[in-house]
Amino acid sequence: MQFCIRDDDTSFFTSPEQLERAYGDVTPWGPVSLAVVPFHRAGTSKGVPEAHRGRWSVHALHGNRALVDYLRQATAAGRYEVMLHGYHHDEPDGHWEFDRGDDLTRRVADGRKYLEDLLGVSIRMFVPPHNAIGREGLRAIANAGLHLGGVAGVRGGWPRWSARTWRLWLQLRRWRIGGGVGVPWVLDLGDHREIAGNAVTPVSISRVNEAGFAAALSVDGVFCAATHYWELDVPSLHPDQPTVRNQLHLLIAKAKTSPGVSWRSVGDVVCAPGAVL
Ligand SMILES: [Zn+2]
């Protein structure tokens, strides 16, 4: 089974210290894939510090020199993978950036090239802000040759005329009806691949993620833990649940100790030949 960690919302507003506090003791064991926003607009996202929220000003990543230096170094050392996380992330009219729009192809191309040149990396994965993607967004990333962090599904833009769509739909439906938890495979949509994220957040329940991990192990599949560095120390909304950080570390401990688990970047897991539906 393959294990990976996806962390969303690194942007101009992120400090190297925040990422070190989150992953300094994690990346010696395996890589963390960071979904990075190239030009963050200071809207309503919780990844934006409160003092900037609602100003709608745009902040390019290169304005944070310390972070750029840190990311260049740490990605070169194999500690992080860089993924594209939208372009502005927040939109003033309240719609999700990659849900719809006629500018998405340009945003994907420009955002990707900017991050690749700035950080000296090559990008294989796109993670939509707020996990929201529509038909146009999906087409934009597929045209760019990127894969999706998340599962779009039929409502999120899988082509309805495609036999492949309905074969996957049926396979996943059978898996769920049979009591299967999560989506423990990489999904091949023909023009791109998708990998489900298992949310590790203040609303998540440890037992559910542990069941998802066990399911992935049982089918020699994939498990991607999806979290945010900025909320690792936020207490769970459920009084009986560990903090977000502890929930993540429970999964990491399983990845380290379960036989047959290989821990790789999200892009490596998605591009690997095995465990593809
Ligand atoms: Zn985000």
Side-chain angles (χ1 to χ4, degrees):
M1 169 198 149
Q2 300 180 78
F3 173 78
C4 53
I5 299 177
R6 159 187 148 193
D7 179 289
D8 295 359
D9 293 344
T10 291
S11 76
F12 167 83
F13 297 109
T14 309
S15 70
E17 293 74 25
Q18 281 177 299
L19 291 176
E20 267 310 292
R21 199 157 54 239
Y23 298 119
D25 62 347
V26 171
T27 53
W29 299 92
V32 172
S33 296
L34 300 175
V36 180
V37 186
F39 301 96
H40 208 306
R41 190 180 265 144
T44 54
S45 285
K46 288 191 230 155
V48 175
E50 268 179 55
H52 287 82
R53 259 180 237 162
R55 292 185 173 186
W56 303 105
S57 44
V58 171
H59 301 262
L61 192 76
H62 71 264
N64 186 338
R65 185 72 191 273
L67 178 69
V68 169
D69 289 345
Y70 171 79
L71 288 176
R72 286 183 69 97
Q73 220 166 41
T75 50
R79 296 179 60 202
Y80 297 126
E81 170 187 38
V82 172
M83 309 186 289
L84 181 61
H85 190 36
Y87 187 82
H88 286 317
H89 197 287
D90 290 359
E91 292 289 22
D93 66 1
H95 90 272
W96 304 135
E97 186 180 23
F98 274 78
D99 196 23
R100 60 186 160 78
D102 48 19
D103 191 28
L104 301 183
T105 297
R106 185 198 62 83
R107 289 192 190 200
V108 168
D110 289 359
R112 175 201 203 163
K113 178 88 170 76
Y114 170 77
L115 288 183
E116 288 187 339
D117 288 350
L118 181 64
L119 300 175
V121 296
S122 77
I123 293 178
R124 298 170 288 180
M125 299 295 306
F126 180 87
V127 175
H130 307 281
N131 291 313
I133 193 153
R135 193 159 35 91
E136 289 141 357
L138 209 54
R139 201 179 298 137
I141 69 156
N143 285 343
L146 297 175
H147 303 293
L148 181 71
V151 172
V154 175
R155 283 186 217 164
W158 286 1
R160 289 172 195 228
W161 43 262
S162 155
R164 193 187 288 259
T165 290
W166 298 106
R167 177 176 59 77
L168 284 175
W169 180 86
L170 196 62
Q171 283 172 311
L172 294 177
R173 190 170 156 76
R174 282 199 191 121
W175 166 250
R176 296 230 173 81
I177 288 172
V181 183
V183 181
W185 301 280
V186 170
L187 305 181
D188 187 353
L189 274 298
D191 58 0
H192 72 282
R193 290 179 171 194
E194 304 188 354
I195 182 168
N198 297 273
V200 183
T201 67
V203 297
S204 60
I205 310 265
S206 228
R207 154 172 56 78
V208 173
N209 276 330
E210 284 172 43
F213 188 99
L217 206 51
S218 74
V219 298
D220 194 17
V222 303
F223 184 91
C224 177
T227 193
H228 304 98
Y229 67 89
W230 50 262
E231 68 180 359
L232 288 187
D233 292 316
V234 175
S236 173
L237 289 177
H238 310 284
D240 60 331
Q241 289 297 305
T243 63
V244 177
R245 184 188 299 273
N246 287 345
Q247 291 196 33
L248 179 65
H249 278 263
L250 283 170
L251 293 167
I252 289 173
K254 280 182 182 294
K256 276 154 63 173
T257 56
S258 307
V261 175
S262 82
W263 178 349
R264 310 170 76 183
S265 67
V266 174
D268 279 351
V269 170
V270 166
C271 296
V276 179
L277 209 58

